[in-house]
Amino acid sequence: MAKSASSSPIPDPIQAGLASGWKVIDASTLVADREVEADVAIIGTGAGGGVTAEILALAGLKVVLVEEGPLKSSKDFKMHEAEAYPELYQESAARKTRDKAINILQGRNVGGSTTVNWTSSFRTPGDTLSYWQKNFGLNDYSAESLSPWFTMMEQRLHIGAWAAAPNENNDLLRRGAAQLGIPAAAIQRNVKACWNLGYCGMGCPTNAKQSMLVTTIPSALARGATLFTRTRADKLLFTGDKVHGLSCVALNERGLAPTGHRIHVRAKHYVVAGGAINSPALLLRSGAPDPQHLLGKRTFLHPTVISAALHDKKVDAYAGAPQTIYSDHFLQTQAIDGAIGYKLEAPPLHPLLFASTMSGFGVQHAAMMKQFAHTHALLALLRDGFHDESCGGTVSLQDDGSPVLDYPISAFVWDGVRRALLSMAEIQFAAGAKAVYPVHEEADGYSSWNAARKAINALAYEPLKTRVVSAHVMGGCTMSDDPKQGIVSSRGRYHELANLSVHDGSLFPTSIGANPQLSIYGITAKLASGLATDLTGKPPPSLPLL
Ligand SMILES: Cc1cc2nc3c(=O)[nH]c(=O)nc-3n(C[C@H](O)[C@H](O)[C@H](O)COP(=O)(O)OP(=O)(O)OC[C@H]3O[C@@H](n4cnc5c(N)ncnc54)[C@H](O)[C@@H]3O)c2cc1C
């Protein structure tokens, strides 16, 4: 039987904070509309919103946070996919592009995607930053100038080397790559006293993952910030070139339907941090000025394809730290603006996500599920946004005001998909796989590298045939000091509105070419520190080291 929160040996910082008097209002419980005033209103509590909230609260500003999802804590994280996906993810982890060809994972809870992410931590690669400098005029975004911000967030979030040995799923990537002379390396993680369980995607049950849920948000709340949960920012209201209010909808306990009550927020400054897709959607819904029609455009996904492999020995890819080995070989062996490159990693496998990602049905699918414990998986993250043939997708609004992403996959990107499936199959055979299954509706299991190579080269690369997924949504509110190229300046300020900023992954003018969380932490720490100085006239605060 599950232990009650009070009898758990694991300290729960959220329950302790609530007991100490944090100002947290669950909008599903409101029986009347609410008005609230603040210096700064922040929409979203994920990577960008969390970092911004802590820095502004430390600067002595009165902060109000608005979050569409619920406030959950370690006592709620039971390592059950069936509970975690509906409670913690956008659209119950079933968000898709309009044509249903790409599955998109994004968080929807206090902490955003950081509550459910897999802890891989990389600084923004230098060649991505050089591309931004050259093509988007982001002159102060060099590896050197951002380095102090990355260092600051690495210290704050305990980002560092992972001391335990990689699990078998990751070690197979290391061994297969080594056999072929392909360089691979260890991934840094944002964890503190991690139990090496492997269920990060369902919320960390031991509070080891240094997500926004257990770091920056508690810190902001302890400094007097107010948090509204189950509260959807519906529209920003404008007068001239200023935002004068934010109108929010209270959602019911399940977080799905409006209760009929509204929350009206009035602030001196507003920070949109709802994440890619949702941030441009809020701005589109509000009718924010967008003379160049840039809002929602250039939305990137790191389109991700998967290759499964069967082994005689158990792999148990659900157990142990999720992603600890990577290879950038196929990013580094071609020019950033040449043929599309890809990063290789070994994702965690859990039965529900595995069953719904693998192709096939009926007896064949059941047979594959029986091999779950013996299955190894690799994924390839394609680096989109650096070529005219990979200019990303476009967010628009459906009739009910909710967002939808169109992401057409060009022949240029499909060619990268084919090459990525080849690279992964070759590594898997080199690691000793007895069969490799490229995740594609028309693919079979192949028992030799030769057979796999022939088949992968002959597959039809079309939407819904090749399984494409994404957990890295970026762009849609492009950052550039040239208003013709971007709607937000290099200081995170919305060009057309004096008191509006965007601080999240939607700022990126291309994809990152690496898992994005640390890029968001470092860049929004820089932007929030600048904003703190603008609003207080004082130097920015230093972050606590906890
Ligand atoms: C399963 C999974 C695994 C991942 N693994 C990794 C990894 O290992 N390493 C890595 O670097 N990255 C990883 N990522 C990606 C990374 O977590 C995200 O890129 C990052 O958290 C995005 O930060 P953000 O601030 O842009 O948005 P988010 O963190 O997604 O936060 C946005 C928040 O805003 C809220 N919101 C949106 N719209 C509204 C609205 N209208 N009103 C109120 N609230 C709103 C959302 O509910 C959400 O809580 C992973 C993501 C997922 C889903």
mmCIF file of all heavy atoms in Angstrom, residues 225-258:
data_model
loop_
_atom_site.group_PDB
_atom_site.id
_atom_site.type_symbol
_atom_site.label_atom_id
_atom_site.label_comp_id
_atom_site.label_asym_id
_atom_site.label_seq_id
_atom_site.Cartn_x
_atom_site.Cartn_y
_atom_site.Cartn_z
ATOM 1 N N ALA A 225 6.220 35.486 -3.713
ATOM 2 C CA ALA A 225 5.500 35.423 -4.994
ATOM 3 C C ALA A 225 4.158 34.722 -4.790
ATOM 4 O O ALA A 225 4.002 33.925 -3.861
ATOM 5 C CB ALA A 225 6.339 34.662 -6.018
ATOM 6 N N THR A 226 3.210 35.033 -5.665
ATOM 7 C CA THR A 226 1.894 34.386 -5.626
ATOM 8 C C THR A 226 1.777 33.485 -6.850
ATOM 9 O O THR A 226 2.139 33.898 -7.959
ATOM 10 C CB THR A 226 0.772 35.453 -5.678
ATOM 11 O OG1 THR A 226 0.952 36.341 -4.579
ATOM 12 C CG2 THR A 226 -0.601 34.819 -5.623
ATOM 13 N N LEU A 227 1.261 32.271 -6.642
ATOM 14 C CA LEU A 227 1.116 31.317 -7.747
ATOM 15 C C LEU A 227 -0.354 30.942 -7.917
ATOM 16 O O LEU A 227 -0.990 30.474 -6.976
ATOM 17 C CB LEU A 227 1.944 30.060 -7.432
ATOM 18 C CG LEU A 227 1.714 28.825 -8.292
ATOM 19 C CD1 LEU A 227 2.103 29.077 -9.752
ATOM 20 C CD2 LEU A 227 2.518 27.625 -7.746
ATOM 21 N N PHE A 228 -0.870 31.168 -9.117
ATOM 22 C CA PHE A 228 -2.208 30.685 -9.469
ATOM 23 C C PHE A 228 -2.044 29.419 -10.307
ATOM 24 O O PHE A 228 -1.367 29.454 -11.345
ATOM 25 C CB PHE A 228 -2.966 31.723 -10.307
ATOM 26 C CG PHE A 228 -3.557 32.835 -9.482
ATOM 27 C CD1 PHE A 228 -2.797 33.961 -9.183
ATOM 28 C CD2 PHE A 228 -4.854 32.754 -9.004
ATOM 29 C CE1 PHE A 228 -3.334 34.992 -8.418
ATOM 30 C CE2 PHE A 228 -5.395 33.780 -8.239
ATOM 31 C CZ PHE A 228 -4.632 34.898 -7.938
ATOM 32 N N THR A 229 -2.620 28.298 -9.857
ATOM 33 C CA THR A 229 -2.549 27.066 -10.655
ATOM 34 C C THR A 229 -3.909 26.800 -11.288
ATOM 35 O O THR A 229 -4.910 27.421 -10.930
ATOM 36 C CB THR A 229 -2.155 25.866 -9.777
ATOM 37 O OG1 THR A 229 -3.198 25.638 -8.828
ATOM 38 C CG2 THR A 229 -0.843 26.122 -9.047
ATOM 39 N N ARG A 230 -3.919 25.831 -12.204
ATOM 40 C CA ARG A 230 -5.135 25.532 -12.993
ATOM 41 C C ARG A 230 -5.742 26.835 -13.514
ATOM 42 O O ARG A 230 -6.954 27.044 -13.497
ATOM 43 C CB ARG A 230 -6.147 24.742 -12.163
ATOM 44 C CG ARG A 230 -5.635 23.338 -11.821
ATOM 45 C CD ARG A 230 -6.739 22.455 -11.289
ATOM 46 N NE ARG A 230 -6.302 21.090 -11.080
ATOM 47 C CZ ARG A 230 -5.947 20.567 -9.904
ATOM 48 N NH1 ARG A 230 -5.951 21.312 -8.811
ATOM 49 N NH2 ARG A 230 -5.580 19.307 -9.824
ATOM 50 N N THR A 231 -4.849 27.712 -13.976
ATOM 51 C CA THR A 231 -5.251 29.045 -14.429
ATOM 52 C C THR A 231 -4.655 29.283 -15.813
ATOM 53 O O THR A 231 -3.429 29.349 -15.953
ATOM 54 C CB THR A 231 -4.717 30.108 -13.439
ATOM 55 O OG1 THR A 231 -5.186 29.789 -12.144
ATOM 56 C CG2 THR A 231 -5.146 31.504 -13.821
ATOM 57 N N ARG A 232 -5.513 29.350 -16.797
ATOM 58 C CA ARG A 232 -4.993 29.535 -18.163
ATOM 59 C C ARG A 232 -4.994 31.012 -18.539
ATOM 60 O O ARG A 232 -6.034 31.682 -18.451
ATOM 61 C CB ARG A 232 -5.865 28.774 -19.165
ATOM 62 C CG ARG A 232 -5.400 28.990 -20.615
ATOM 63 C CD ARG A 232 -6.322 28.297 -21.596
ATOM 64 N NE ARG A 232 -6.278 26.868 -21.404
ATOM 65 C CZ ARG A 232 -7.321 26.050 -21.604
ATOM 66 N NH1 ARG A 232 -8.479 26.539 -22.002
ATOM 67 N NH2 ARG A 232 -7.189 24.750 -21.424
ATOM 68 N N ALA A 233 -3.817 31.534 -18.903
ATOM 69 C CA ALA A 233 -3.757 32.904 -19.427
ATOM 70 C C ALA A 233 -4.499 32.891 -20.761
ATOM 71 O O ALA A 233 -4.117 32.174 -21.685
ATOM 72 C CB ALA A 233 -2.307 33.324 -19.604
ATOM 73 N N ASP A 234 -5.560 33.661 -20.802
ATOM 74 C CA ASP A 234 -6.404 33.632 -22.007
ATOM 75 C C ASP A 234 -5.997 34.746 -22.965
ATOM 76 O O ASP A 234 -5.664 34.486 -24.121
ATOM 77 C CB ASP A 234 -7.867 33.782 -21.555
ATOM 78 C CG ASP A 234 -8.829 33.703 -22.718
ATOM 79 O OD1 ASP A 234 -8.482 33.051 -23.720
ATOM 80 O OD2 ASP A 234 -9.922 34.307 -22.625
ATOM 81 N N LYS A 235 -5.993 35.987 -22.466
ATOM 82 C CA LYS A 235 -5.637 37.114 -23.338
ATOM 83 C C LYS A 235 -4.885 38.196 -22.587
ATOM 84 O O LYS A 235 -5.247 38.545 -21.459
ATOM 85 C CB LYS A 235 -6.911 37.737 -23.915
ATOM 86 C CG LYS A 235 -7.457 36.947 -25.073
ATOM 87 C CD LYS A 235 -8.642 37.590 -25.719
ATOM 88 C CE LYS A 235 -9.118 36.643 -26.811
ATOM 89 N NZ LYS A 235 -10.487 36.831 -27.199
ATOM 90 N N LEU A 236 -3.881 38.733 -23.254
ATOM 91 C CA LEU A 236 -3.246 39.972 -22.801
ATOM 92 C C LEU A 236 -4.074 41.114 -23.378
ATOM 93 O O LEU A 236 -4.550 41.024 -24.522
ATOM 94 C CB LEU A 236 -1.813 40.051 -23.327
ATOM 95 C CG LEU A 236 -0.834 39.029 -22.737
ATOM 96 C CD1 LEU A 236 0.315 38.766 -23.695
ATOM 97 C CD2 LEU A 236 -0.304 39.508 -21.395
ATOM 98 N N LEU A 237 -4.225 42.188 -22.595
ATOM 99 C CA LEU A 237 -5.053 43.321 -23.055
ATOM 100 C C LEU A 237 -4.133 44.511 -23.296
ATOM 101 O O LEU A 237 -3.226 44.768 -22.500
ATOM 102 C CB LEU A 237 -6.091 43.660 -21.983
ATOM 103 C CG LEU A 237 -6.907 42.444 -21.477
ATOM 104 C CD1 LEU A 237 -7.722 42.810 -20.251
ATOM 105 C CD2 LEU A 237 -7.805 41.899 -22.583
ATOM 106 N N PHE A 238 -4.344 45.225 -24.380
ATOM 107 C CA PHE A 238 -3.415 46.286 -24.777
ATOM 108 C C PHE A 238 -4.083 47.655 -24.798
ATOM 109 O O PHE A 238 -5.258 47.781 -25.171
ATOM 110 C CB PHE A 238 -2.861 46.013 -26.191
ATOM 111 C CG PHE A 238 -2.352 44.599 -26.365
ATOM 112 C CD1 PHE A 238 -2.944 43.730 -27.269
ATOM 113 C CD2 PHE A 238 -1.283 44.145 -25.614
ATOM 114 C CE1 PHE A 238 -2.475 42.426 -27.419
ATOM 115 C CE2 PHE A 238 -0.807 42.850 -25.753
ATOM 116 C CZ PHE A 238 -1.403 41.991 -26.663
ATOM 117 N N THR A 239 -3.297 48.676 -24.426
ATOM 118 C CA THR A 239 -3.670 50.057 -24.692
ATOM 119 C C THR A 239 -2.455 50.709 -25.338
ATOM 120 O O THR A 239 -1.387 50.750 -24.728
ATOM 121 C CB THR A 239 -3.979 50.842 -23.391
ATOM 122 O OG1 THR A 239 -4.900 50.091 -22.628
ATOM 123 C CG2 THR A 239 -4.574 52.204 -23.690
ATOM 124 N N GLY A 240 -2.599 51.164 -26.563
ATOM 125 C CA GLY A 240 -1.448 51.722 -27.271
ATOM 126 C C GLY A 240 -0.354 50.685 -27.371
ATOM 127 O O GLY A 240 -0.605 49.531 -27.719
ATOM 128 N N ASP A 241 0.881 51.095 -26.988
ATOM 129 C CA ASP A 241 1.982 50.122 -27.095
ATOM 130 C C ASP A 241 2.276 49.465 -25.754
ATOM 131 O O ASP A 241 3.389 49.022 -25.499
ATOM 132 C CB ASP A 241 3.235 50.798 -27.668
ATOM 133 C CG ASP A 241 3.893 51.717 -26.646
ATOM 134 O OD1 ASP A 241 3.215 52.071 -25.648
ATOM 135 O OD2 ASP A 241 5.068 52.059 -26.823
ATOM 136 N N LYS A 242 1.254 49.377 -24.884
ATOM 137 C CA LYS A 242 1.479 48.756 -23.561
ATOM 138 C C LYS A 242 0.443 47.667 -23.277
ATOM 139 O O LYS A 242 -0.705 47.743 -23.749
ATOM 140 C CB LYS A 242 1.407 49.817 -22.457
ATOM 141 C CG LYS A 242 2.574 50.786 -22.487
ATOM 142 C CD LYS A 242 2.710 51.528 -21.190
ATOM 143 C CE LYS A 242 3.590 50.787 -20.217
ATOM 144 N NZ LYS A 242 3.852 51.528 -18.981
ATOM 145 N N VAL A 243 0.880 46.696 -22.491
ATOM 146 C CA VAL A 243 -0.070 45.709 -21.971
ATOM 147 C C VAL A 243 -0.656 46.318 -20.705
ATOM 148 O O VAL A 243 0.091 46.775 -19.839
ATOM 149 C CB VAL A 243 0.652 44.388 -21.615
ATOM 150 C CG1 VAL A 243 -0.354 43.342 -21.148
ATOM 151 C CG2 VAL A 243 1.463 43.873 -22.798
ATOM 152 N N HIS A 244 -2.005 46.326 -20.581
ATOM 153 C CA HIS A 244 -2.555 46.889 -19.339
ATOM 154 C C HIS A 244 -3.245 45.834 -18.484
ATOM 155 O O HIS A 244 -3.692 46.116 -17.369
ATOM 156 C CB HIS A 244 -3.487 48.073 -19.630
ATOM 157 C CG HIS A 244 -4.803 47.675 -20.214
ATOM 158 N ND1 HIS A 244 -5.819 47.158 -19.482
ATOM 159 C CD2 HIS A 244 -5.245 47.698 -21.486
ATOM 160 C CE1 HIS A 244 -6.851 46.897 -20.263
ATOM 161 N NE2 HIS A 244 -6.521 47.201 -21.493
ATOM 162 N N GLY A 245 -3.307 44.596 -18.966
ATOM 163 C CA GLY A 245 -3.928 43.567 -18.126
ATOM 164 C C GLY A 245 -3.787 42.193 -18.744
ATOM 165 O O GLY A 245 -3.406 42.046 -19.919
ATOM 166 N N LEU A 246 -4.068 41.195 -17.919
ATOM 167 C CA LEU A 246 -4.048 39.805 -18.373
ATOM 168 C C LEU A 246 -5.320 39.150 -17.863
ATOM 169 O O LEU A 246 -5.589 39.165 -16.664
ATOM 170 C CB LEU A 246 -2.821 39.086 -17.797
ATOM 171 C CG LEU A 246 -2.770 37.572 -17.982
ATOM 172 C CD1 LEU A 246 -2.596 37.210 -19.459
ATOM 173 C CD2 LEU A 246 -1.621 36.961 -17.173
ATOM 174 N N SER A 247 -6.072 38.604 -18.792
ATOM 175 C CA SER A 247 -7.316 37.956 -18.404
ATOM 176 C C SER A 247 -7.122 36.447 -18.436
ATOM 177 O O SER A 247 -6.675 35.893 -19.445
ATOM 178 C CB SER A 247 -8.421 38.383 -19.378
ATOM 179 O OG SER A 247 -9.602 37.724 -19.048
ATOM 180 N N CYS A 248 -7.420 35.790 -17.313
ATOM 181 C CA CYS A 248 -7.167 34.344 -17.200
ATOM 182 C C CYS A 248 -8.458 33.599 -16.896
ATOM 183 O O CYS A 248 -9.372 34.133 -16.268
ATOM 184 C CB CYS A 248 -6.202 34.069 -16.048
ATOM 185 S SG CYS A 248 -4.670 34.959 -16.172
ATOM 186 N N VAL A 249 -8.462 32.335 -17.298
ATOM 187 C CA VAL A 249 -9.620 31.477 -17.113
ATOM 188 C C VAL A 249 -9.303 30.466 -16.013
ATOM 189 O O VAL A 249 -8.256 29.806 -16.064
ATOM 190 C CB VAL A 249 -9.892 30.725 -18.439
ATOM 191 C CG1 VAL A 249 -11.026 29.732 -18.281
ATOM 192 C CG2 VAL A 249 -10.173 31.704 -19.563
ATOM 193 N N ALA A 250 -10.197 30.310 -15.042
ATOM 194 C CA ALA A 250 -10.029 29.261 -14.023
ATOM 195 C C ALA A 250 -10.478 27.936 -14.626
ATOM 196 O O ALA A 250 -11.513 27.866 -15.284
ATOM 197 C CB ALA A 250 -10.875 29.595 -12.802
ATOM 198 N N LEU A 251 -9.664 26.890 -14.419
ATOM 199 C CA LEU A 251 -10.002 25.569 -14.963
ATOM 200 C C LEU A 251 -10.491 24.663 -13.837
ATOM 201 O O LEU A 251 -10.119 24.842 -12.677
ATOM 202 C CB LEU A 251 -8.770 24.946 -15.623
ATOM 203 C CG LEU A 251 -8.206 25.745 -16.803
ATOM 204 C CD1 LEU A 251 -6.897 25.129 -17.284
ATOM 205 C CD2 LEU A 251 -9.219 25.827 -17.944
ATOM 206 N N ASN A 252 -11.285 23.670 -14.192
ATOM 207 C CA ASN A 252 -11.816 22.765 -13.162
ATOM 208 C C ASN A 252 -10.740 21.821 -12.640
ATOM 209 O O ASN A 252 -9.596 21.840 -13.118
ATOM 210 C CB ASN A 252 -13.042 22.002 -13.678
ATOM 211 C CG ASN A 252 -12.666 21.047 -14.809
ATOM 212 O OD1 ASN A 252 -11.503 20.859 -15.129
ATOM 213 N ND2 ASN A 252 -13.666 20.442 -15.410
ATOM 214 N N GLU A 253 -11.102 20.968 -11.693
ATOM 215 C CA GLU A 253 -10.108 20.146 -11.008
ATOM 216 C C GLU A 253 -9.329 19.261 -11.975
ATOM 217 O O GLU A 253 -8.147 18.992 -11.774
ATOM 218 C CB GLU A 253 -10.812 19.298 -9.943
ATOM 219 C CG GLU A 253 -9.872 18.911 -8.839
ATOM 220 C CD GLU A 253 -10.428 17.827 -7.958
ATOM 221 O OE1 GLU A 253 -11.664 17.740 -7.809
ATOM 222 O OE2 GLU A 253 -9.603 17.053 -7.437
ATOM 223 N N ARG A 254 -9.991 18.781 -13.024
ATOM 224 C CA ARG A 254 -9.288 17.940 -13.994
ATOM 225 C C ARG A 254 -8.444 18.778 -14.953
ATOM 226 O O ARG A 254 -7.740 18.245 -15.808
ATOM 227 C CB ARG A 254 -10.278 17.078 -14.770
ATOM 228 C CG ARG A 254 -10.988 16.067 -13.853
ATOM 229 C CD ARG A 254 -11.788 15.070 -14.648
ATOM 230 N NE ARG A 254 -10.940 14.302 -15.539
ATOM 231 C CZ ARG A 254 -11.374 13.747 -16.674
ATOM 232 N NH1 ARG A 254 -12.619 13.874 -17.037
ATOM 233 N NH2 ARG A 254 -10.543 13.067 -17.434
ATOM 234 N N GLY A 255 -8.578 20.096 -14.843
ATOM 235 C CA GLY A 255 -7.748 20.985 -15.660
ATOM 236 C C GLY A 255 -8.196 21.072 -17.099
ATOM 237 O O GLY A 255 -7.460 21.542 -17.959
ATOM 238 N N LEU A 256 -9.426 20.660 -17.373
ATOM 239 C CA LEU A 256 -9.869 20.614 -18.763
ATOM 240 C C LEU A 256 -10.850 21.740 -19.101
ATOM 241 O O LEU A 256 -10.625 22.508 -20.036
ATOM 242 C CB LEU A 256 -10.520 19.253 -19.070
ATOM 243 C CG LEU A 256 -9.579 18.044 -18.939
ATOM 244 C CD1 LEU A 256 -10.336 16.747 -19.118
ATOM 245 C CD2 LEU A 256 -8.446 18.142 -19.955
ATOM 246 N N ALA A 257 -11.924 21.857 -18.320
ATOM 247 C CA ALA A 257 -12.973 22.816 -18.681
ATOM 248 C C ALA A 257 -12.906 24.057 -17.804
ATOM 249 O O ALA A 257 -12.554 23.970 -16.623
ATOM 250 C CB ALA A 257 -14.324 22.138 -18.510
ATOM 251 N N PRO A 258 -13.262 25.225 -18.381
ATOM 252 C CA PRO A 258 -13.336 26.447 -17.557
ATOM 253 C C PRO A 258 -14.448 26.332 -16.528
ATOM 254 O O PRO A 258 -15.491 25.740 -16.806
ATOM 255 C CB PRO A 258 -13.667 27.546 -18.577
ATOM 256 C CG PRO A 258 -13.415 26.960 -19.923
ATOM 257 C CD PRO A 258 -13.543 25.468 -19.793
#
